[in-house]
Amino acid sequence: MRLRGKGMNLEALVESLCYFIFGVMLLRLTLTGAYLSYVTPRMKPYLIGLSALMLFWAVVNGKNIVRPKYKSRVKRCLVLIIPILLLAVPPSSLAAGAMVKGVSGSNLTAPSGGSVNKPEETVQSPEEYAYYTQDDLEKQDQALEESQDQEVATSSDNQARALPPGLNGLDQEAKTITISDEDFSPWVTEFGTNPEKYDGYTVIMKGFVYLDLEEKKENEFALVRLSMWCCSADLSPMGLITEYKGSLTAKENDWITVTGTLKVEDGYATLNAEKMETAEKPLEEYVYPFY
């Protein structure tokens, strides 16, 4: 005796709906930019590809809906229902600082523990000048001065040309650096790599107040943004240790714009705050060092 199921295939129907809903929700998350709360921008093409694959599976599996099955196993679809529910619930709006509690803050500029070794200068003894006349010595001094002036000009030009991409807002004549939201990560990296270049520059940058610092002084906080290297699981604070005078009116996690002087101590950069203003949170809250 041959057994046949009745009606449509419930298992195939549920599977197709799960594929379709998951694909649509993932595509919507990607196109609206909400996926940036979970992963970095470089994952966008992969998410679009996965969305297309899910929609394709929904269509292919849809042909089985009209093929009755005697016993449906709907429980196997739970593996898709779980991520659908996760995508349906928006990410919790935790305070930025609370998301990285306990992190050592390795992306913050910190003391290197070493000193900068300066090249030794050689001194020529008076006896070595015995074979030169006064006119020869004056010509040598003049040539040396011209050579040094040329080196300074060449060094300045090379520094301007050697700036990595993303370092916009630099005014070398006024010794001012205005850091936009998009250039936050490149500039903080530059300050950590070549702090001496910008010693004494006036810096204008925006971030949120982060107080969970190791060995924090009374008049210190970190002006940071959250850095995402791969996904939301590896968020860490990235920014500059900031010193201020008087009482700090801003609370932890408050977004502020700081105008201050960059100073270098023991080979690392810090910011001496001269002015602090309330700021709006940027549209893209996180920064992505490897876009």
Side-chain angles (χ1 to χ4, degrees):
M1 183 176 182
R2 188 176 181 183
L3 297 177
R4 293 184 179 180
K6 297 182 180 179
M8 66 176 58
N9 189 333
L10 181 61
E11 181 179 335
L13 176 62
V14 174
E15 282 187 8
S16 296
L17 285 176
C18 288
Y19 293 147
F20 179 78
I21 294 173
F22 184 73
V24 170
M25 294 183 68
L26 193 60
L27 185 62
R28 179 178 175 275
L29 197 71
T30 305
L31 297 180
T32 59
Y35 75 101
L36 293 174
S37 297
Y38 304 95
V39 293
T40 60
R42 65 178 181 270
M43 297 299 296
K44 184 174 182 178
Y46 301 102
L47 296 178
I48 293 178
L50 181 58
S51 303
L53 180 62
M54 286 295 170
L55 295 176
F56 175 75
W57 277 352
V59 174
V60 172
N61 193 67
K63 64 182 181 180
N64 295 323
I65 297 177
V66 295
R67 296 179 180 176
K69 190 173 184 180
Y70 180 73
K71 186 177 182 180
S72 298
R73 298 177 180 177
V74 181
K75 291 183 179 179
R76 58 185 293 182
C77 299
L78 287 175
V79 70
L80 282 174
I81 294 177
I82 292 175
I84 288 175
L85 293 176
L86 292 176
L87 291 180
V89 179
S92 57
S93 57
L94 285 175
M99 300 178 70
V100 288
K101 291 294 184 184
V103 177
S104 62
S106 57
N107 289 331
L108 300 177
T109 55
S112 59
S115 58
V116 179
N117 295 323
K118 297 182 179 179
E120 297 182 358
E121 297 181 356
T122 58
V123 180
Q124 197 170 12
S125 62
E127 291 78 7
E128 298 180 24
Y129 290 98
Y131 298 100
Y132 295 95
T133 65
Q134 185 65 27
D135 291 340
D136 292 335
L137 294 177
E138 291 178 356
K139 290 180 180 179
Q140 287 182 0
D141 291 340
Q142 184 179 359
L144 181 60
E145 291 178 0
E146 293 177 355
S147 175
Q148 289 176 344
D149 293 341
Q150 181 65 29
E151 288 180 0
V152 170
T154 303
S155 176
S156 178
D157 292 340
N158 289 339
Q159 178 177 334
R161 288 194 297 267
L163 288 176
L167 299 184
N168 304 306
L170 173 64
D171 187 341
Q172 290 182 330
E173 294 184 0
K175 297 191 70 173
T176 301
I177 304 173
T178 304
I179 302 176
S180 65
D181 292 335
E182 295 77 14
D183 299 329
F184 185 94
S185 176
W187 268 117
V188 172
T189 302
E190 176 70 4
F191 291 151
T193 306
N194 304 299
E196 292 81 5
K197 284 185 179 180
Y198 312 100
D199 190 13
Y201 273 62
T202 297
V203 176
I204 304 171
M205 62 187 294
K206 179 170 70 175
F208 68 85
V209 177
Y210 184 67
L211 298 176
D212 189 25
L213 303 174
E214 296 180 1
E215 300 180 1
K216 175 184 172 297
K217 298 179 182 178
E218 185 177 355
N219 63 332
E220 280 185 347
F221 68 92
L223 184 66
V224 304
R225 292 180 65 178
L226 293 181
S227 170
M228 182 190 293
W229 294 72
C230 174
C231 58
S232 59
D234 63 9
L235 288 173
S236 61
M238 180 181 196
L240 292 178
I241 301 297
T242 304
E243 298 180 4
Y244 62 95
K245 295 181 180 179
S247 58
L248 180 63
T249 57
K251 303 184 296 294
E252 187 169 32
N253 303 314
D254 285 351
W255 285 84
I256 59 175
T257 299
V258 173
T259 301
T261 303
L262 192 80
K263 70 172 185 177
V264 180
E265 293 183 354
D266 299 327
Y268 69 99
T270 60
L271 193 61
N272 275 355
E274 301 167 0
K275 182 180 178 182
M276 292 185 287
E277 298 177 326
T278 303
E280 294 291 334
K281 182 188 298 186
L283 294 178
E284 288 192 10
E285 182 177 354
Y286 305 150
V287 295
Y288 310 96
F290 295 99
Y291 186 93

